[in-house]
Amino acid sequence: AQSVAQPEDQVNVAEGNPLTVKCTYSVSGNPYLFWYVQYPNRGLQFLLKYITGDNLVKGSYGFEAEFNKSQTSFHLKKPSALVSDSALYFCAVRAPNTGGFKTIFGAGTRLFVKA
Amino acid sequence: DGGITQSPKYLFRKEGQNVTLSCEQNLNHDAMYWYRQDPGQGLRLIYYSQIVNDFQKGDIAEGYSVSREKKESFPLTVTSAQKNPTAFYLCASSIGRSLGLASIYEQYFGPGTRLTVT
């Protein structure tokens, strides 16, 4: 069965420091991986995705993520955190061979960036 | 929130009443989705629709119903059979009618409707 794990409920980082939000997945076949961000009482916004090709994917607002097939991970990173990055982050996976329209979301990681 | 509107933002209902949540998109997307968000549980898929006049149950469809009479609209009805309806409901859409291609496209989400049933 497909699954996504975000092992940290919360990540705290100081402004200006690098940040990492972790994600691991379990899916049969080649995964399509996504990161979304949610601000309070709002819908999710797409940040970036991995479909194929280069393992390092760059996305919106300076975020990037690295696909690691051997570790089945897709960690979200940013070299220098901003206070405005504080939000709830979701990792998600789609597996084409098990129903392309179904997306499995992780439980979310809350990021706090302190000034 | 990219061309998807949900109304109302907050909705209050008494137990035993059906309620319909609105979702409209002007992105010309074929696929539309309804999710339920509860604290600490991520998003769970209620229903999705690949094209007009077609929809499929997601993981937690019991107590919910949908229709897709127009490409732009995908309303969700929370019926009195839903045992725990209080939640944040999110509508989304994406490109892609065919099964294989749909997977690679990200979803665009509406601002959500917070439903409270007492």
Side-chain angles (χ1 to χ4, degrees), chain A residues 1-5 24-29 93 95 97-98 102 104, chain B residues 59:
Chain A
Q2 299 176 78
S3 65
V4 175
T24 59
Y25 66 89
S26 174
V27 66
S28 57
V93 65
N97 58 338
T98 58
K102 294 188 72 174
I104 305 300
Chain B
D59 299 318

Side-chain angles (χ1 to χ4, degrees), chain A residues 32 34 36 38 41-46 49 51 88 90 94-96 99-108, chain B residues 1 9 31 33 35 37 40 42-43 48 50 59 88 90 96-97 99 102-107 109-111 114:
Chain A
Y32 297 156
F34 303 80
Y36 293 87
Q38 184 180 33
N41 294 312
R42 301 289 297 277
L44 278 66
Q45 295 177 34
F46 168 73
K49 65 183 176 183
I51 303 301
L88 186 58
F90 289 98
R94 279 181 161 178
F101 289 91
K102 294 188 72 174
T103 303
I104 305 300
F105 287 85
Chain B
D1 296 303
K9 190 172 180 65
Y33 313 78
Y35 292 93
Q37 185 178 16
L43 276 66
Y48 66 96
Q50 300 171 229
D59 299 318
F88 189 51
L90 288 163
R97 180 179 299 183
L99 193 64
S103 309
I104 70 173
Y105 293 107
E106 61 274 18
Q107 293 170 296
F109 285 81
R114 189 166 297 279

